[in-house]
Amino acid sequence: MSMGNSFDFNGAETQSSAFALIPANTLVKVRLSIRPGGAGPEGWMTQSKSSEAMYLNTEAVILDGPYARRRLFTRIGIKGRSANERGEDVYANRGRSLIRGILESARAVRSEDTSETARAARTIRTLGDLNGLEFVAKVGIDRDRKNPEDDGRNVIAAAITAEHADYMKLMGGMPATVVGAPAGTSAAPSSPTPSWAGNQPGSAPPAATAPFWAR
């Protein structure tokens, strides 16, 4: 690259790949983190600047594959600004559904499993317990509806759970503790206490889940 007193960058890759969107519906393994906004009981949520809505401001880094190290920035709704005609908070319900999927994907729970073990896996003590979870995500593209020229940005459209045909391959193998696996599924022997069990109600949360400003 060095040419005497100069540096030649003609052989460097162009930046086009850095700005190209990941195709919608691509499946990737990610690690989630929350950017605390200071709102809510523990400060994990972010308050909207234009309404009463609150959300989790999340960042998910893609762990492997052709898009490794790319990041998905997704707002997960906790409280909406209004209810629909049936009195439902659609924004919050959509957020709860995504969080359920994230927990199921990270803890190898099949979405139709209603066992006590599966129900416990869908329970967290604090929103901070979502920090650091690794799961399979389906990539989506979010565009500004008010701006027709907006190219959009990649977000998490959904979490892929254990019944998906590509789940084990994308996770790099079935987790040691498999919740709700169908009969005949081969998996590593599970320990009596799942790795996530320490985060259930009544247990002290890991210190790492505390927001940086509360440590």
Side-chain angles (χ1 to χ4, degrees), residues 152-177:
R153 61 190 179 89
N154 284 130
V155 297
I156 297 172
I160 301 302
T161 52
E163 62 265 33
H164 193 281
D166 294 327
Y167 175 82
M168 283 198 295
K169 178 179 70 175
L170 290 164
M171 283 294 285
M174 188 65 83
T177 302

Side-chain angles (χ1 to χ4, degrees), residues 53-68:
M54 290 194 291
Y55 56 89
L56 294 179
N57 190 11
T58 71
E59 173 184 328
V61 59
I62 298 175
L63 298 177
D64 47 35
Y67 302 106

Side-chain angles (χ1 to χ4, degrees), residues 117 175-179 187-198:
T117 303
T177 302
V178 182
V179 181
S190 59
S191 58
T193 303
S195 59
W196 43 262

Side-chain angles (χ1 to χ4, degrees), residues 109-130:
V109 179
R110 298 173 67 84
S111 59
E112 73 275 15
D113 189 355
T114 58
S115 68
E116 288 302 314
T117 303
R119 291 175 64 85
R122 299 186 188 104
T123 304
I124 53 178
R125 186 176 185 274
T126 166
L127 291 172
D129 288 342
L130 298 171

Side-chain angles (χ1 to χ4, degrees), residues 18-85:
F19 298 102
L21 290 173
I22 300 171
N25 301 321
T26 300
L27 302 184
V28 291
K29 183 179 179 181
V30 300
R31 179 184 297 116
L32 190 74
S33 62
I34 304 172
R35 296 177 168 186
E42 297 179 311
W44 289 108
M45 294 181 278
T46 296
Q47 175 73 58
S48 169
K49 296 180 180 179
S50 60
S51 72
E52 296 181 355
M54 290 194 291
Y55 56 89
L56 294 179
N57 190 11
T58 71
E59 173 184 328
V61 59
I62 298 175
L63 298 177
D64 47 35
Y67 302 106
R69 296 185 295 280
R70 293 279 295 271
R71 297 172 188 274
L72 310 175
F73 299 95
T74 308
R75 293 180 177 182
I76 302 178
I78 300 296
K79 177 185 176 183
R81 60 184 177 184
S82 60
N84 62 15
E85 62 277 6

